[in-house]
Amino acid sequence: MNITLTILRYNPKTDSAPKFQDFAVKVEPTDRLLDTLMFIKRNLDGTLSFRKSCAHGVCGSDAMIINGVERLACKTLIRDVVEQEGAVVTIEPLKSLPVQRDLMVDYEHFFEAYREVKPFLIPTRDPEHAEYIQTQEQRRQFDDPTKCILCAACYSACPVIRNKEADFIGPAAVVQAARFVFDSRDKGAEPRLDSLDRPDGVWACRSYFECTRACPRGIKVTKNINLTKRQIKKLKEKGQ
Ligand code: SF4
Ligand code: FES
């Protein structure tokens, strides 16, 4: 099968502006887009830059925009893209994060927001037994956000961030906060309010649902943000 990848290339050190470059390649329909990028790097242009690690949809490092939609290159089958969208595939880096080179973006700001929400268990006491006991129902309460692989697809897709409507902490950071806020063993909701309960915290979300659409792990991102908003309101009512 012959396809053309149209890739947005940019080296901020040497280029005045990003520009698209076409690569015509012969691929197997069962190849993934990541395989094709690796083929190009090995055989056609060693300077093409992109991130990848696990190649199995687990590490989150190869999120990029494929035909205008945030996806993981390792989870995108060539056959599916070509059948549904044609044999010319456009690839761009994630939006709202500075481009380091080609498809590689700088995640510093994204991870700063992640660290801000204290994404770790904050218990107030030692466990009564050898471990903290939790029922299956209590565990189910935060099952959805545990699936997050910090790929930043939601961050790129978020119109609030993209259009600079607010300096939003970002959907992924709230999902990571929700992972612990709804954990019965955690008592860290209050210390997390500093980063969540402010205009650029959860309240900057305007429920566009683009994050939910973009998430390659199927996380109900907007729902998690709205549940966190509700939890913050409850906490504040209790404190009054
Ligand atoms: S919530 Fe989904 S899209 Fe956002 S960082 Fe986590 S896995 Fe990626
Ligand atoms: S390379 Fe790890 S998620 Fe794609």
Side-chain angles (χ1 to χ4, degrees):
M1 172 185 275
N2 294 310
I3 65 166
T4 301
L5 295 196
T6 302
I7 304 176
L8 194 62
R9 306 289 310 266
Y10 183 46
N11 180 347
K13 289 193 184 131
T14 55
D15 302 338
S16 54
K19 63 173 188 297
F20 282 102
Q21 183 179 2
D22 289 351
F23 292 93
V25 278
K26 197 172 166 55
V27 292
E28 293 298 324
T30 49
D31 283 350
R32 299 156 310 166
L33 191 91
L34 180 61
D35 299 318
T36 313
L37 289 172
M38 283 160 64
F39 175 85
I40 293 171
K41 185 162 178 77
R42 282 182 193 139
N43 301 290
L44 303 178
D45 185 343
T47 67
L48 178 66
S49 302
F50 55 90
R51 284 203 183 85
K52 55 117 183 137
S53 180
C54 71
H56 285 89
V58 180
C59 72
S61 56
D62 64 342
M64 55 189 73
I65 300 188
I66 301 168
N67 282 345
V69 177
E70 286 80 6
R71 311 182 216 196
L72 298 175
C74 65
K75 295 281 281 179
T76 304
L77 258 191
I78 294 289
R79 185 180 51 208
D80 294 345
V81 177
V82 171
E83 272 175 16
Q84 290 158 29
E85 298 160 41
V88 178
V89 184
T90 304
I91 305 177
E92 298 163 84
L94 293 180
K95 305 274 188 210
S96 303
L97 291 165
V99 173
Q100 289 174 313
R101 190 156 167 168
D102 298 335
L103 305 172
M104 287 169 51
V105 291
D106 182 353
Y107 284 92
E108 191 49 41
H109 189 64
F110 175 79
F111 279 107
E112 251 172 45
Y114 166 66
R115 287 189 288 270
E116 238 186 282
V117 301
K118 302 183 173 57
F120 40 81
L121 194 76
I122 307 179
T124 49
R125 54 173 177 76
D126 289 335
E128 281 158 23
H129 309 283
E131 58 200 344
Y132 294 104
I133 305 295
Q134 188 166 59
T135 66
Q136 288 185 0
E137 183 47 37
Q138 285 170 327
R139 173 61 182 77
R140 256 195 293 279
Q141 297 304 312
F142 61 93
D143 200 46
D144 196 32
T146 61
K147 291 184 273 178
C148 178
I149 54 172
L150 292 166
C151 67
C154 55
Y155 192 92
S156 168
C158 175
V160 174
I161 298 171
R162 200 181 280 191
N163 303 331
K164 299 189 172 37
E165 291 175 24
D167 189 19
F168 182 27
I169 192 169
V174 184
V175 164
Q176 289 293 329
R179 151 68 188 88
F180 294 98
V181 165
F182 297 104
D183 186 330
S184 59
R185 301 163 298 178
D186 184 88
K187 297 289 173 255
E190 267 179 316
R192 288 190 192 95
L193 286 184
D194 285 348
S195 48
L196 295 173
D197 182 28
R198 58 186 202 202
D200 59 351
V202 287
W203 308 113
C205 171
R206 295 183 190 151
S207 294
Y208 286 107
F209 281 87
E210 289 297 323
C211 50
T212 304
R213 173 197 60 69
C215 179
R217 303 287 291 176
I219 297 170
K220 296 184 181 74
V221 183
T222 318
K223 181 178 174 190
N224 275 285
I225 296 173
N226 287 335
L227 288 172
T228 307
K229 284 179 177 172
R230 214 177 293 166
Q231 191 68 8
I232 290 174
K233 273 190 196 154
K234 263 196 218 165
L235 252 171
K236 287 168 74 177
E237 277 162 18
K238 246 205 259 170
Q240 277 162 8

